[in-house]
Amino acid sequence: MEAFLVSAGIVAIGEIGDKTQLLALMLAARFRRPVPIVLGIFCATLANHAAAGAVGGLARALASPEVLRWGMGLSFLAIAIWALFPDRVDEAEAAATSRLGVFALTVATFFLAEIGDKTQIATVVLAARYDSLVAVVAGTTCGMLLADVPAVLLGQAAAPKVPLKAVRMVAAALFALMGAGAIAGFNIL
C-alpha cells in the first residue's frame, strides 16, 4: 500500500504544470469530449508507466542499494530543477493526428509526450525503490489521473486562475527535499 500511495502522490505533484497536463487542457478545450480523453490518458499512462516500471525493476535487480539510493536522490534533485521550468505542448502535434478520433489521438499524444517526461522518470525511480511493480504502476497511473482529470473536466476555463508558477515552486521544493533526504540516507520513501 505504501508503494501505491507514495507513487500516486509523487506523480500527482510532478504532473502539475507538466506538458501532459497542458495537453489534457488543450484536448478538452478543443474536443469537449471528456470521457474518451480521460480513457485515452489512462491507457497511455498505464502502457508508458508499465514499461518505465519494468526498467526500474531491472535497475533494482542489477544495482546495489547504495547505487539505487544515490540514483534516486539525484533523480529527484533533477526533477526538482525540471519542475521549475514550465512545459509547453506542441499544438501542431495534436492537430496532425486529429483524424484518429479523440480516444486514439489522446492515447498516441499522451504516450509520446510521456516518453522521457519527469513523471516517467519518477516511475522508473519508484519501481527501483519498491518491490511491487503493480503497486507502483497503479499508483503512478492514479497520480497522473489525479492531476489530469480535473484539467480535462475544467478545460481552459480554470487554467488562468491556477497559479502554476507557485505550484511548480512547491513541487520543486518537495522533490528537492526528497532528493536531499535520499542522498543523506534518510528513508524518505
Side-chain angles (χ1 to χ4, degrees):
M1 187 58 133
E2 178 186 352
F4 173 83
L5 293 173
V6 170
S7 297
I10 285 175
V11 168
I13 291 167
E15 181 63 7
I16 295 174
D18 192 70
K19 69 180 171 244
T20 47
Q21 189 180 49
L22 297 174
L23 178 60
L25 279 168
M26 185 189 75
L27 290 170
R30 181 171 180 193
F31 295 108
R32 301 193 191 286
R33 300 212 27 231
V35 173
I37 293 170
V38 169
L39 290 174
I41 292 168
F42 171 75
C43 292
T45 301
L46 188 61
N48 191 292
H49 287 197
V55 170
L58 182 63
R60 185 182 63 257
L62 298 176
S64 71
E66 183 73 12
V67 169
L68 287 176
R69 180 174 63 84
W70 275 91
M72 181 172 58
L74 293 174
S75 294
F76 281 150
L77 289 174
I79 291 170
I81 294 167
W82 194 348
L84 292 173
F85 299 96
D87 282 331
R88 289 175 180 76
V89 66
D90 186 2
E91 200 166 335
E93 178 184 82
T97 56
S98 63
R99 66 184 171 276
L100 296 173
V102 176
F103 172 77
L105 170 68
T106 303
V107 170
T109 55
F110 260 77
F111 186 86
L112 292 173
E114 191 63 13
I115 294 173
D117 198 54
K118 61 184 168 259
T119 51
Q120 185 190 42
I121 293 168
T123 302
V124 171
V125 171
L126 290 161
R129 165 61 175 91
Y130 291 106
D131 194 24
S132 179
L133 177 62
V134 172
V136 169
V137 173
T140 59
T141 301
C142 284
M144 183 73 87
L145 292 172
L146 283 171
D148 289 343
V149 169
V152 170
L153 296 177
L154 298 174
Q156 288 187 328
K161 297 175 183 163
V162 176
L164 290 179
K165 183 176 182 177
V167 172
R168 278 194 313 273
M169 297 271 222
V170 169
L174 290 172
F175 278 111
L177 285 171
M178 289 187 290
I183 290 171
F186 295 114
N187 188 10
I188 58 159
L189 300 177

